[in-house]
Amino acid sequence: MKKIISVVGARPNFMKVAPLFRAFQQYRDIQHLICHTGQHYDDRMSRIFFEELELPRPDFYLGVGSGTHAEQLAGIMLGFEKILQSEHPDLVIVVGDVNSTVACSLIASRFLIPIAHVEAGLRSFDRTMPEEINRLLTDALADYLFVSEPSGIRNLQKEGIPQEKIFFVGNVMIDSLLYYLPKIAQSEILQTLHCQPGEYILVTLHRPSNVDHREELKELIGLLREIASLKKIIFPVHPRTRKKIHEFSLEDMLPANVIITEPLGYLDFMQLVQHAALVITDSGGIQEETTFLQIPCITVRNNTERPVTVETGTNRLAGTDPAQIKQMVFETLSNLSAGRQEGQPIRQESVKTPGSKDSRIPELWDGHAAERIAKIIYEKL
Ligand code: UD1
């Protein structure tokens, strides 16, 4: 029997580990355990995802919570060290690029426990992003690097990672999206928010570079005001962003036709993505989900570590200059209304079969990435 511990910490990790959990259930001689660091701890940032994604209660919960980067990283390392000392796993799996990813990789490497990194090789080449540092360090430590898009292979090769450690397997986040589409269709969020498919723009903003400074955040909220005069906006607000809006006293700037919600669960949120006219975001994963669902996406960042979403998918990088973002939003909306009638349901029909000839869906984003990963790991262990 081989023992594997998969690490989750923050919201974007849960939908990446869920398909891995299912894939490992097919292997009787693998014991797959889940360690939740508690980096995200609110019900709406964590517990709801376990329920909706049908994940079991984590086998280990470190309860680190929020804090400075140093506090968070150190807390995770101290907690994870104890788990590794008592459990002696044969492999640690880390996903994505959050603080939990790098902290657990560092400790596993000290115990000489092999590390698998799922979503390896992505690079924004912007070292001011904490995630970029997390990605670089984790990939330098990992023994198995599972890559979701071709740029990942090139980046790892350039960094001198040996070819035999690199595996192009596809995208586990898209595994989840495909698997849960029937449940996503049952969400009642559109009725709850009194919205029709295609009549709204969905907005998410949480990157420190966009929300942690008053001027930048004020400009972005001013931009939302302007856009909202054209089209309804739904804005589920991340705890970091909510805190900053409050701290900078910007609440009153948000007009009534911006529908503000708490952070949403996976099923509700994905239904909103699926039926949005347009998504405006600074998230990494949402660039991929909109690409797969063929929903136009405008990314409020100067770079992306997921270039396939721009080259092949529906994503456009707008930078962070409000005038430029506004122009791109107006362009996209006028292209859309030229292409279809306002208020008509959109996009549902355009979810193309992966691999079909005219597919603009990136290679291997086919719902089977986690199965490929589990098979490779099983053979290697
Ligand atoms: C983290 C990840 C980021 C990811 C994002 C998704 C890092 C460096 N960043 O950023 O890559 O895109 O998660 O959400 O790992 N908070 C709560 N409740 C929670 C969690 C957080 O209120 O359950 C608040 C706290 O005030 C905290 C702040 O949000 O200080 C930020 O949380 P943190 O985990 O530091 O980073 P995120 O901004 O969420």
Side-chain angles (χ1 to χ4, degrees):
M1 179 71 88
K2 297 286 182 186
K3 189 190 280 185
I4 297 176
I5 299 184
S6 282
V7 174
V8 293
R11 183 170 63 177
N13 294 159
F14 306 127
M15 60 294 267
K16 293 173 191 166
V17 165
L20 290 169
F21 168 75
R22 267 196 309 281
F24 281 116
Q25 281 183 317
Q26 307 307 315
Y27 295 89
R28 287 213 178 142
D29 37 3
I30 287 187
Q31 183 188 18
H32 178 261
L33 304 172
I34 295 179
C35 175
H36 187 342
T37 65
Q39 178 176 345
H40 284 175
Y41 46 87
D42 282 357
D43 282 357
R44 295 191 147 269
M45 297 295 286
S46 175
R47 190 181 54 81
I48 186 169
F49 290 85
F50 276 80
E51 283 169 20
E52 293 187 346
L53 301 170
E54 301 150 56
L55 279 166
R57 274 174 71 92
D59 301 278
F60 314 101
Y61 186 73
L62 306 183
V64 291
S66 302
T68 65
H69 280 275
E71 285 165 346
Q72 209 171 52
L73 290 166
I76 297 167
M77 287 197 268
L78 286 169
F80 199 55
E81 181 175 56
K82 290 202 181 74
I83 307 288
L84 293 187
Q85 273 165 342
S86 62
E87 294 296 322
H88 306 289
D90 298 285
L91 179 78
V92 167
I93 301 181
V94 293
V95 299
D97 55 17
V98 301
N99 283 344
S100 303
T101 311
V102 69
C104 292
S105 300
L106 275 167
I107 294 302
S109 73
R110 298 307 299 166
F111 282 87
L112 305 180
I113 295 169
I115 300 163
H117 183 205
V118 175
E119 213 178 68
L122 299 182
R123 296 289 180 270
S124 65
F125 303 102
D126 173 2
R127 291 197 183 194
T128 64
M129 289 176 79
E131 293 82 359
E132 182 72 355
I133 307 297
N134 295 347
R135 289 188 279 261
L136 282 160
L137 294 179
T138 304
D139 285 341
L141 298 172
D143 301 275
Y144 306 105
L145 295 101
F146 294 109
V147 174
S148 57
E149 63 162 84
S151 73
I153 306 173
R154 293 193 296 273
N155 295 333
L156 293 174
Q157 285 169 343
K158 273 191 219 144
E159 287 167 25
I161 306 279
Q163 193 61 40
E164 61 271 18
K165 288 184 170 184
I166 305 172
F167 304 90
F168 179 38
V169 289
N171 189 327
V172 286
M173 198 159 200
I174 301 303
D175 288 5
S176 270
L177 180 49
L178 266 165
Y179 183 81
Y180 294 106
L181 272 178
K183 274 176 94 175
I184 291 166
Q186 285 165 18
S187 152
E188 290 175 358
I189 189 73
L190 282 176
Q191 290 100 295
T192 308
L193 300 179
H194 306 291
C195 285
Q196 296 296 321
E199 72 158 358
Y200 60 90
I201 298 174
L202 181 64
V203 174
T204 81
L205 295 169
H206 76 280
R207 292 259 153 244
S209 56
N210 284 331
V211 307
D212 276 7
H213 306 284
R214 187 169 198 278
E215 272 322 295
E216 277 86 351
L217 184 56
K218 191 175 165 209
E219 285 197 343
L220 284 172
I221 291 182
L223 175 70
L224 294 188
R225 268 179 86 95
E226 283 191 58
I227 298 172
S229 64
L230 290 178
K231 215 166 177 68
K232 205 184 268 187
I233 289 181
I234 303 179
F235 184 18
V237 184
H238 185 281
R240 172 191 284 279
T241 312
R242 183 174 290 272
K243 205 164 95 179
K244 294 293 172 186
I245 290 176
H246 179 70
E247 194 179 314
F248 302 146
S249 311
L250 298 173
E251 286 103 336
D252 295 343
M253 274 187 76
L254 285 160
N257 52 345
V258 177
I259 304 172
I260 305 281
T261 76
E262 294 290 310
L264 296 172
Y266 181 72
L267 303 174
D268 285 347
F269 185 76
M270 289 316 306
Q271 182 174 91
L272 290 181
V273 173
Q274 200 177 10
H275 294 291
L278 166 66
V279 175
I280 301 175
T281 189
D282 58 9
S283 146
I286 296 170
Q287 299 171 46
E288 297 183 336
E289 288 158 336
T290 47
T291 281
F292 186 79
L293 293 169
Q294 314 263 296
I295 301 295
C297 178
I298 291 181
T299 297
V300 183
R301 285 175 46 188
N302 293 314
N303 50 55
T304 179
E305 61 288 339
R306 294 163 159 86
V308 78
T309 62
V310 176
E311 291 153 11
T312 306
T314 53
N315 186 23
R316 294 177 74 194
L317 284 183
T320 53
D321 168 25
Q324 201 179 325
I325 303 167
K326 188 167 111 184
Q327 193 194 340
M328 217 178 250
V329 170
F330 288 5
E331 255 172 48
T332 310
L333 290 180
S334 66
N335 287 347
L336 277 177
S337 55
R340 73 184 164 80
Q341 297 221 306
E342 192 69 14
Q344 291 275 308
I346 53 159
R347 307 291 167 199
Q348 184 87 327
E349 73 288 350
S350 69
V351 179
K352 293 175 191 159
T353 317
S356 73
K357 225 175 168 191
D358 65 343
S359 176
R360 304 284 292 154
I361 292 169
E363 197 183 343
L364 294 185
W365 290 18
D366 60 358
H368 300 290
E371 290 158 34
R372 291 186 194 101
I373 292 169
K375 183 163 183 285
I376 293 167
I377 287 176
Y378 180 74
E379 287 165 4
K380 296 283 176 188
L381 289 184

